[in-house]
């Protein structure tokens, strides 16, 4: 079961070779070939060195991952298409002081595009032009330039080819839309995912994760049995990437349109159809030209026929859900609003010794959904538009979150000292309870771990834009209308010019835990896992909360160790950065002997007294003495702050 679904595992392939011998850039993986880099003029200052992926990453970090066999999937994905840009738009000519490099087409697809762009960044600096066959792109890894495109001159840029690639599945959905239509959709969709709604979903995140734990154990037991392991209760290997992929599908289905995929427990035609559609998006985004538009092509290409059939299944399901929700609202005569933020901390405790399903089964959840909110928004929406919105949220919110969880666990397992701090926090805040919305502000270190995992593995690693008007970027880089741009989030997040020890996994790098979480603005556009400006992700709070809750639930209950029989964890890039071969972990029940009980919950009165200040304050007041009394590992810090080490009440 926990063999990963097909999402993001497309047979993506790079562009067919069209060797362009003239003064090509020669990447590190083919240094043998003769090469000369074209430089139009003096480049922007390059990063300090081109060996940025230094020794710190030698265990878990991106470089070791890539060394471990990444690059399988080739370049691109729904949010990142390289080859699909060929022959379209354009109009770029060499201008101003912008360095230029020519990359032979046959080098495309040998490694994920973000790795190629990192190599080029190392030698060409924060803004350079990359020529690929007849096409050229401006590649931005400079925070000032990125800020201008995403914020300062945002009106001059569109999503470019994304709409074309994703049209078959998302139609006019928010992610790829532009102009007036985007404004109208954003106005409706963004409020649906605001903080109140996210708070109302926290219990569901925990319940969904707990719901999958028996399946995790079953998969481990089956793996152990298959391996002839008779230890019983011992460690056995499970693909955690698959687990997180299914978990995030289950969550997005419930939260957005109240569909219980329950993919952690079974496969059904709708789940298969969803993965088939996602796979097709990835394949299309890496195709050399939009062949799917050729008349009659789906009669000739079985994969396209399958994808059409899959899309029909998903669309039909969404239409039925929309109809159901509409008639429910009509019957109620009410407009549901996102639930209050004070959704109770879950009382659905799971036993530490026997992880179990939550007491409230998923199908009985009465949480509001995004669909309820969209229908209740008062906007006149036809079913097609609603379907596009739902499909967009399904796609945008599924693989991104699954990938974030996958890499966070990968990093944690490779860094026991960080893992310990996460567990101390989870034990202290939750114990065996499932998280409630009021626990989230207390899980600050876990939140920083998710931030840091997203820095090291941004999803997607590259954003796409197209200039609709001429522009000039800081540094005098001229952007002609029609220019396609790659914003390399990967480069921004890994730059040795922008970060100290960029390859180190260091959740403390964002400052004290009681400081606000990092954003694109607080980091001067060095850190933008959710993009920035008005096209910023609408699901950022949802995603962070989901990741924190899922990690807390899983890490409280299980120990993880890499299953080295699968070799090092490599990566490949689709829409998101996937592992090349799964995240295979040996899992075993965590031994909680000697783990102190969680801090007592603050009485309502204390919480009320602290209202308006940091939620840590109430907990701190109630738990400082208790922490010391029970010998909590945080006692020293708690004695002064009432919170785990590193958490300072405001
Ligand atoms: C860790 C998880 C996630 C990451 C890293 C992520 C990242 C991003 C990024 C970088 C963008 C900006 C794309 C661009 O500027 O071209 C974006 C946009 C978007 N995301 Fe997310 N996302 C995540 C989760 C979610 C979730 C859970 C949802 C919905 C429930 C969602 C819905 C969207 C939508 C609708 C947009 C388009 C917004 C617009 O264009 O106005 N995302 N996301």
């Amino acid at each position: 079961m926990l063999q990963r679904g097909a999402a993001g595992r497309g047979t993506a392939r790079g562009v067919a070779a069209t060797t362009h011998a003239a003064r090509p850039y020669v990447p590190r993986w083919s240094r043998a070939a003769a090469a000369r880099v074209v430089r139009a003029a003096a480049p922007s200052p390059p990063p300090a060195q081109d060996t940025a992926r230094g020794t710190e990453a030698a265990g878990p970090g991106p470089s070791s991952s890539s060394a471990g066999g990444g690059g399988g999937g080739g370049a691109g994905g729904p949010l990142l298409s390289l080859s699909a840009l060929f022959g379209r738009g354009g109009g770029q000519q060499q201008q101003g002081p912008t360095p230029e490099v020519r990359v032979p087409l046959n080098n495309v697809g040998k490694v994920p595009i973000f790795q190629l762009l990192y190599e080029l960044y190392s030698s060409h600096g924060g803004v350079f032009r990359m020529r690929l066959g007849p096409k050229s792109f401006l590649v931005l890894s400079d925070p000032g330039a990125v800020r201008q495109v995403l914020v300062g001159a945002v009106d001059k840029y569109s999503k470019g080819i994304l709409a074309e690639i994703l049209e078959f599945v998302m139609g006019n959905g928010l992610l790829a839309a532009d102009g007036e239509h985007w404004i109208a959709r954003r106005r409706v969709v963004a409020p649906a995912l605001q903080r109140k709604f996210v708070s109302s979903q926290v219990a569901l995140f925990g319940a969904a994760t707990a719901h999958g734990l028996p399946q995790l154990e079953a998969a481990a037991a089956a793996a152990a049995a298959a391996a002839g392991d008779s230890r019983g209760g011992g460690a056995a290997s499970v693909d955690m990437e698959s687990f997180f992929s299914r978990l995030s599908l289950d969550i997005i289905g419930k939260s957005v349109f109240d569909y219980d995929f329950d993919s952690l427990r079974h496969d059904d035609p709708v789940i298969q159809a969803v993965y088939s559609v996602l796979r097709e998006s990835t394949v299309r985004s890496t195709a050399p030209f939009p062949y799917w538009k050729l008349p009659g092509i789906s009669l000739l290409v079985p994969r396209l026929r399958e994808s059409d059939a899959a899309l029909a299944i998903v669309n039909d399901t969404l239409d039925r859900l929309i109809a159901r929700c509409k008639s429910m609202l009509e019957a109620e005569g009410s407009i549901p609003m996102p639930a209050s933020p004070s959704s109770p901390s879950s009382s659905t405790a799971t036993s530490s010794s026997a992880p179990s399903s939550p007491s409230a089964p998923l199908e009985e959840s009465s949480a509001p959904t995004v669909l309820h909110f969209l229908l209740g928004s008062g906007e006149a929406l036809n079913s097609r538009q609603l379907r596009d919105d739902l499909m967009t949220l399904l796609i945008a919110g599924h693989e991104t979150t699954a990938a974030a969880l996958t890499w966070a666990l990968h990093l944690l397992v490779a860094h026991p000292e960080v893992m310990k701090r996460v567990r101390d926090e989870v034990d202290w805040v939750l114990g065996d309870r499932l998280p409630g919305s009021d626990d989230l502000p207390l899980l600050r270190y876990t939140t920083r771990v998710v931030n840091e995992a997203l820095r090291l593995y941004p999803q997607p690693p590259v954003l796409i834009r197209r200039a609709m008007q001429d522009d000039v970027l800081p540094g005098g880089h001229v952007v002609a209308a029609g220019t396609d741009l790659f914003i390399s989030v990967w480069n921004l997040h890994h730059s040795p010019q922008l970060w100290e020890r960029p390859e180190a996994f260091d959740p403390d790098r964002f400052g004290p835990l009681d400081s606000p979480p990092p954003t694109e603005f607080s980091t001067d556009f060095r850190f933008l896992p959710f993009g920035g400006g008005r096209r910023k992700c609408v699901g950022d709070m949802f995603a962070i909360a989901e990741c924190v809750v899922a990690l807390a639930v899983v890490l409280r209950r299980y120990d993880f160790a890499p299953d080295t029989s699968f070799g090092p964890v490599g990566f490949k890039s689709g829409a998101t950065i996937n592992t090349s071969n799964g995240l295979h972990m040996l899992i075993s029940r965590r031994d909680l002997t000697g783990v102190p009980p969680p801090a007592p919950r603050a009485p309502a009165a204390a919480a009320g007294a602290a209202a308006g200040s940091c939620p840590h304050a109430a907990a701190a007041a109630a738990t400082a003495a208790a922490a010391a009394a029970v010998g909590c590992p945080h006692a020293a810090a708690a004695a002064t702050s009432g919170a785990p080490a590193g958490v300072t009440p405001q």
Side-chain angles (χ1 to χ4, degrees), residues 382-436:
N382 60 39
S383 292
R384 177 65 211 255
Q385 183 57 62
L386 276 168
R387 203 173 71 196
D388 291 347
D389 286 339
L390 300 185
M391 191 72 102
T392 298
L393 294 172
L394 175 68
I395 291 180
H398 168 228
E399 277 218 83
T400 43
T401 315
L405 280 164
T406 299
W407 293 112
L409 182 64
H410 171 65
L411 290 161
L412 282 168
V413 168
H415 293 83
E417 72 291 354
V418 180
M419 175 73 99
K420 179 174 181 331
R421 284 180 65 188
V422 169
R423 282 197 162 145
D424 285 349
E425 184 175 80
V426 170
D427 294 341
W428 184 82
V429 173
L430 296 172
D432 289 331
R433 255 186 330 107
L434 295 179

Side-chain angles (χ1 to χ4, degrees), residues 77-95:
L79 301 186
L80 166 61
S81 172
L82 188 63
S83 49
L85 287 158
F86 294 155
R88 291 180 232 166
Q92 305 94 336
Q93 63 262 24
Q94 196 171 303
Q95 295 143 330

Side-chain angles (χ1 to χ4, degrees), residues 18-39 100-108 110 116 120 123-124 129-133:
T18 310
T19 310
H20 198 310
R23 300 191 294 180
Y25 162 75
V26 178
R28 285 193 193 138
W29 59 91
S30 61
R31 286 284 192 222
R36 225 159 18 107
V37 170
V38 179
R39 282 178 189 269
E100 180 171 313
V101 59
R102 189 182 298 281
V103 178
L105 288 179
N106 62 344
N107 277 332
V108 176
K110 288 184 177 165
L116 168 65
L120 295 172
S123 49
H124 291 77
R129 209 172 297 280
M130 177 173 74
R131 285 199 177 277
L132 279 158

Side-chain angles (χ1 to χ4, degrees), residues 458-552:
Q459 317 288 347
V462 179
L463 307 179
I464 285 182
R465 292 293 187 274
R466 178 173 291 159
M468 308 300 287
Q469 302 169 34
D470 293 348
D471 193 14
V472 181
L473 299 177
H477 302 283
V478 174
V479 187
T483 301
D484 285 305
L485 293 93
F486 288 158
I487 296 173
S488 176
V489 182
W490 177 278
N491 288 355
L492 286 167
H493 287 190
H494 286 257
S495 168
Q497 283 196 326
L498 302 175
W499 299 92
E500 274 178 35
R501 303 183 308 128
E503 301 309 327
F505 177 52
D506 177 13
D508 289 318
R509 71 168 66 243
F510 298 110
L513 291 182
D514 56 357
S515 62
T519 66
E520 68 276 27
F521 288 103
S522 71
T523 59
D524 279 334
F525 280 73
R526 290 179 302 142
F527 178 67
L528 41 158
F530 294 104
R534 70 183 191 196
R535 300 299 304 247
K536 187 173 177 174
C537 179
V538 290
D540 56 348
M541 282 185 289
F542 184 101
I544 294 280
E546 179 181 344
C547 289
V548 168
V549 169
L551 286 176

